[in-house]
Amino acid sequence: MTMQDTKQQQYQDTQWQADERGKWGRFGGRYVPETLMPALDELTEAYANLGRDSEFKAELDRLCAEYVGRPTPLYHAARLSEYAGGAQIYLKREDLAHTGAHKINNALGQGLLAKRMGKTRIIAETGAGQHGVASATVCAMLGLPCIVYMGEEDVERQKLNVFRMRLLGAEVRPVGSGTRTLKDAINEAIRDWVTNVADTFYLIGSVVGPHPYPTMVRDFQSVIGREARAQMLERVGRLPDAIVACVGGGSNAMGIFHPFVRDYDVRLVGVEAGGEGVVTGRHAATLVAGSFGILHGASMYLLQDDDGQVTGTHSVSAGLDYPGVGPEHSYLKETGRAQYTSVTDTEALEAFELLCRTEGIIPALETAHAVAEAVKQARTMVPEQTVLVSLSGRGDKDLGTIVGREEAQGSL
Amino acid sequence: MSGITRAFERARTEGRAAVIPYVMAGYPDLEGAVEVTLALERGGADILEVGMPFSDPLADGPTIQRAATASLAAGTTVASCLGTAGRIREQSSIPLVLMGYYNPVHRYGVEWFCRDAASAGVEGLILPDLPPEEAAEVREVAHGQGIDLIFLLAPTSTEARIEQAARVAGGFVYCVSLTGVTGARASVATGLDEFVGRVRRHTNLPLAVGFGISRPEHARQVARVADGVVVASALIDLIDRTEKSERLNKVEGYIRSLRDGARKEPGAPVSAGGVELEPADDRLG
């Protein structure tokens, strides 16, 4: 019996889809104030109608091609593979999408939906600023006003993206409450939505939040995995042996994993931010070290203390610095379909430099976590095998952080 | 008849809406919260909401966020909130309702939480991020301990959602006066009468109105259509800006003024104790 057959048997009753309440097993659902519940019903219905809407699909496909630059290339990283000395590493180049990250796939889909629903005001949250930039970009293109909530700490460490958002016509509202990072930006965006729910569309940037967001964001991001699957079959003649992607909320990972979820021979590996090391407590490795909880409208794995208070996180990359994680990832972990691991700040910074030097590609610090893990995975494999990496974003936005660290260490 | 029901009944017979103030456990400090409570009771509060702080209070405006942050920083836990409820119960017979977010309750364990809350003398529970769809388990466990799970309805709630909440609601229905987060506002939201009227058509439970209420004239407006008025942020603001030595007197006086404001004008529709009371017209012939 092959591994595929064993897994087929193990998962024969698993649907891999959320139920009508937006739950994968015990994860997901809707834990939000009553004020928002009708708006979530409205959104669920509008999103379901898109499935029958060939006009919407044609418009999304056209903009994906003409505006975003899809399909993004699949690149065989020969020198990185040689460095690792094992499996062949392939990079799915989301860094080459318009605005420099995968975030645009989802922002475009939700932006078009908002327009279709007649919403006249868009709000978004952002951590690293990539989703904020993608939202601001799409809103400029669609002629919609855009307000982006961003933690004060992130405003500081992602100055360039703040400038980009303002240049694109968005209003950036720094959030000073709580830990002053992504989780607090989401709280503030939800408060705005509660207040302005009639005319406002909340453009969530990851596979988190109340139903239908985790499903909807995953679907818009699944273009990554659909393209990569076809590209691997065409170029290599078979599916990859492993897929590696970084996980904060988890949208790029869900996007590349989803079209492979029934291909049980393909190992799915999510990489969380290990920060200064999971044992130090200063990290953002939710699936590795968290426990069941409820945050931002869904049940999921959560970093929390014994009293159910959400704990502060740490990562060198603002985009992974989040104490929750998508409910579908929580389910993939619980069912064993995907494995989740963590990479420290130091390992990510080394991988950042490694990809620059071996392939001439400057990755985002978030993405560098996936690169670090991909090298580790490839080392344990043979040259006939392949590892597919979601190269989720480019690193121009992180140069300030890199320069700051190198100056602090006196190496510049 | 529960203490909550009795409190609404008594307010109704006195021709006014019940006054329901909110205190945050551990705020201004562990002992201060209990003292404020007793002052509220002296001022004529009918039911007391005891808030349990959470790190991510997404339904709350700046005032309650600030109080929650301070309370958590001072070491408040779910267990100490239950302890505060118990301390209040030892010194007062005012009906107690706990209000907080779902995650800390879940983490504590729903069964343990409801059991410990019941032994602390708590009669009601409000979890603003637990809508009826997700609430079945908590409701059943709470009910088993004699605790009512109190649901919120909002101006955006559809008829179907109002009906759904009315089917499962216990104690009273918490009507959110406005589309927004908690926090004192200058005036009562327009459309309140219509909204409360819509809820009234689906339930005989008492209706309390909260969010944005701060002044006696607000209480008067609410009392025209509803059975209770909740005040939270305005009370915390008052505690914050008052010298410690003056605090309890000011709090007592403030609640008394709200209670005076909450007098019903004759002829307004009221309900309590499961009996729908129409204005004295001859509609039924």
Side-chain angles (χ1 to χ4, degrees):
Chain A
M1 193 182 269
T2 68
M3 188 161 90
Q4 176 81 18
D5 292 336
T6 319
K7 295 267 178 142
Q8 289 283 16
Q9 239 169 21
Q10 181 188 344
Y11 293 131
Q12 61 179 344
D13 294 327
T14 312
Q15 294 300 313
W16 304 119
Q17 292 289 348
D19 66 17
E20 60 181 17
R21 287 164 59 209
K23 288 215 168 168
W24 291 266
R26 58 184 178 140
F27 303 107
R30 280 182 185 166
Y31 298 85
V32 294
E34 171 65 22
T35 307
L36 295 179
M37 292 297 285
L40 291 169
D41 283 338
E42 181 195 358
L43 179 61
T44 303
E45 197 190 331
Y47 180 62
N49 288 339
L50 291 187
R52 297 183 285 277
D53 190 335
S54 55
E55 210 174 284
F56 179 90
K57 195 176 175 310
E59 178 73 347
L60 182 60
D61 287 349
R62 182 183 71 79
L63 287 168
C64 272
E66 295 174 7
Y67 190 70
V68 179
R70 304 208 70 89
T72 57
L74 179 75
Y75 170 68
H76 178 214
R79 280 185 22 95
L80 183 68
S81 305
E82 193 185 331
Y83 171 88
Q88 300 307 309
I89 299 173
Y90 285 81
L91 308 177
K92 177 59 175 166
R93 299 289 308 275
E94 291 302 297
D95 61 318
L96 294 178
H98 182 39
T99 71
H102 71 290
K103 293 290 186 189
I104 191 82
N105 303 326
N106 168 55
L108 182 61
Q110 286 196 50
L112 288 173
L113 176 58
K115 191 113 188 172
R116 188 150 290 225
M117 289 173 73
K119 301 292 178 181
T120 55
R121 178 175 178 270
I122 304 288
I123 57 171
E125 84 294 334
T126 199
Q130 289 303 102
H131 174 59
V133 167
S135 300
T137 298
V138 167
C139 287
M141 188 261 289
L142 294 175
L144 290 166
C146 181
I147 292 158
V148 180
Y149 290 93
M150 188 170 188
E152 280 177 354
E153 187 179 326
D154 295 333
V155 167
E156 185 55 38
R157 59 180 167 176
Q158 302 287 344
K159 279 184 189 151
L160 186 61
N161 271 345
V162 174
F163 184 70
R164 287 168 84 192
M165 286 184 266
R166 289 182 174 145
L167 204 57
L168 291 160
E171 179 191 342
V172 178
R173 293 191 183 166
V175 177
S177 59
T179 57
R180 302 158 66 238
T181 58
L182 177 56
K183 112 182 148 63
D184 307 285
I186 296 179
N187 288 337
E188 211 51 42
I190 292 175
R191 291 181 188 119
D192 180 315
W193 199 30
V194 168
T195 307
N196 302 293
V197 64
D199 65 353
T200 297
F201 188 99
Y202 180 16
L203 207 169
I204 295 186
S206 194
V207 286
V208 299
H211 174 62
Y213 281 103
T215 298
M216 181 169 70
V217 175
R218 176 204 69 197
D219 290 349
F220 286 135
Q221 290 295 3
S222 289
V223 66
I224 305 171
R226 283 197 307 274
E227 286 177 7
R229 200 173 187 284
Q231 287 166 325
M232 285 299 293
L233 287 173
E234 190 193 315
R235 296 269 293 284
V236 186
R238 57 190 180 83
L239 298 179
D241 296 283
I243 302 177
V244 180
C246 65
V247 177
S251 71
N252 91 85
M254 223 39 254
I256 199 163
F257 287 176
H258 187 64
F260 294 90
V261 82
R262 289 169 197 279
D263 298 316
Y264 299 122
D265 281 341
V266 179
R267 282 192 298 120
L268 307 176
V269 183
V271 189
E272 297 191 307
E276 293 173 8
V278 171
V279 289
T280 67
R282 285 182 48 79
H283 62 85
T286 308
L287 289 161
V288 169
S291 55
F292 183 88
I294 297 102
L295 181 68
H296 295 148
S299 53
M300 58 176 84
Y301 275 83
L302 181 64
L303 292 171
Q304 57 186 324
D305 66 16
D306 291 343
D307 211 45
Q309 306 296 340
V310 180
T311 47
T313 51
H314 166 81
S315 171
V316 67
S317 67
L320 302 184
D321 207 349
Y322 181 61
V325 67
E328 193 170 3
H329 280 297
S330 302
Y331 185 66
L332 291 182
K333 176 190 161 75
E334 195 162 77
T335 54
R337 178 62 192 95
Q339 283 81 51
Y340 295 87
T341 182
S342 68
V343 154
T344 63
D345 287 351
T346 307
E347 290 174 304
L349 288 160
E350 283 166 8
F352 174 88
E353 201 165 298
L354 178 66
L355 195 67
C356 290
R357 302 265 168 102
T358 56
E359 297 292 351
I361 296 170
I362 303 175
L365 280 175
E366 291 76 12
T367 312
H369 287 72
V371 173
E373 179 62 25
V375 170
K376 287 189 202 173
Q377 293 277 336
R379 276 200 178 129
T380 67
M381 298 159 73
V382 296
E384 291 70 33
Q385 290 182 298
T386 56
V387 174
L388 170 65
V389 181
S390 174
L391 207 78
S392 53
R394 65 189 220 188
D396 307 49
K397 70 182 176 61
D398 294 313
L399 297 184
T401 303
I402 302 289
V403 170
R405 286 180 77 97
E406 296 204 345
E407 277 174 354
Q409 288 164 4
S411 63
L412 269 187
Chain B
M1 193 187 277
S2 77
I4 293 171
T5 311
R6 267 201 308 277
F8 278 104
E9 175 70 19
R10 196 187 62 213
R12 188 185 65 82
T13 54
E14 291 175 14
R16 59 182 179 82
V19 176
I20 309 171
Y22 170 103
V23 292
M24 172 75 76
Y27 191 84
D29 50 52
L30 196 60
E31 197 50 42
V34 177
E35 287 169 0
V36 165
T37 301
L38 299 176
L40 291 167
E41 194 184 18
R42 286 196 298 278
D46 296 286
I47 296 168
L48 188 76
E49 278 182 24
V50 178
M52 302 182 288
F54 182 47
S55 54
D56 294 82
L58 49 76
D60 286 305
T63 299
I64 293 182
Q65 283 178 50
R66 209 173 46 238
T69 303
S71 177
L72 287 173
T76 301
T77 61
V78 173
S80 73
C81 293
L82 292 166
T84 296
R87 292 271 319 284
I88 295 168
R89 173 54 68 249
E90 283 166 15
Q91 300 171 65
S92 150
S93 60
I94 190 167
L96 294 175
V97 173
L98 287 174
M99 182 164 186
Y101 289 82
Y102 183 38
N103 195 56
V105 171
H106 185 276
R107 183 76 175 171
Y108 192 92
V110 173
E111 299 257 358
W112 290 92
F113 179 85
C114 291
R115 202 196 57 184
D116 291 352
S119 19
V122 170
E123 296 183 58
L125 177 62
I126 308 176
L127 300 170
D129 61 344
L130 193 72
E133 285 87 337
E134 306 286 357
E137 184 211 340
V138 177
R139 179 172 164 267
E140 194 176 317
V141 173
H143 198 72
Q145 294 290 344
I147 295 174
D148 286 320
L149 189 58
I150 293 154
F151 289 97
L152 292 90
L153 286 169
T156 54
S157 300
T158 56
E159 292 299 314
R161 294 197 55 80
I162 293 172
E163 202 184 320
Q164 180 187 18
R167 266 202 307 276
V168 293
F172 62 92
V173 175
Y174 191 134
C175 299
V176 176
S177 76
L178 48 81
T179 306
V181 294
T182 60
R185 310 288 204 279
S187 60
V188 175
T190 54
L192 180 70
D193 297 15
E194 185 269 344
F195 163 49
V196 172
R198 281 200 297 138
V199 178
R200 184 82 77 190
R201 281 197 291 279
H202 293 279
T203 181
N204 291 332
L205 286 174
L207 309 183
V209 170
F211 283 43
I213 310 296
S214 63
R215 300 177 188 163
E217 59 265 34
H218 299 165
R220 187 168 303 124
Q221 269 178 277
V222 169
R224 285 205 338 259
V225 289
D227 312 304
V229 52
V230 182
V231 59
S233 296
L235 188 54
I236 290 172
D237 287 336
L238 176 68
I239 290 169
D240 285 348
R241 63 167 189 267
T242 310
E243 285 290 315
K244 199 173 173 193
S245 57
E246 279 294 297
R247 196 178 278 157
L248 299 181
N249 282 335
K250 289 268 186 185
V251 163
E252 186 182 330
Y254 174 64
I255 284 300
R256 188 163 289 127
S257 72
L258 279 187
R259 186 176 150 117
D260 290 343
R263 293 203 179 286
K264 283 190 180 294
E265 293 154 17
V270 289
S271 95
V275 183
E276 180 84 38
L277 299 173
E278 289 294 335
D281 64 13
D282 294 314
R283 205 182 302 169
L284 299 176

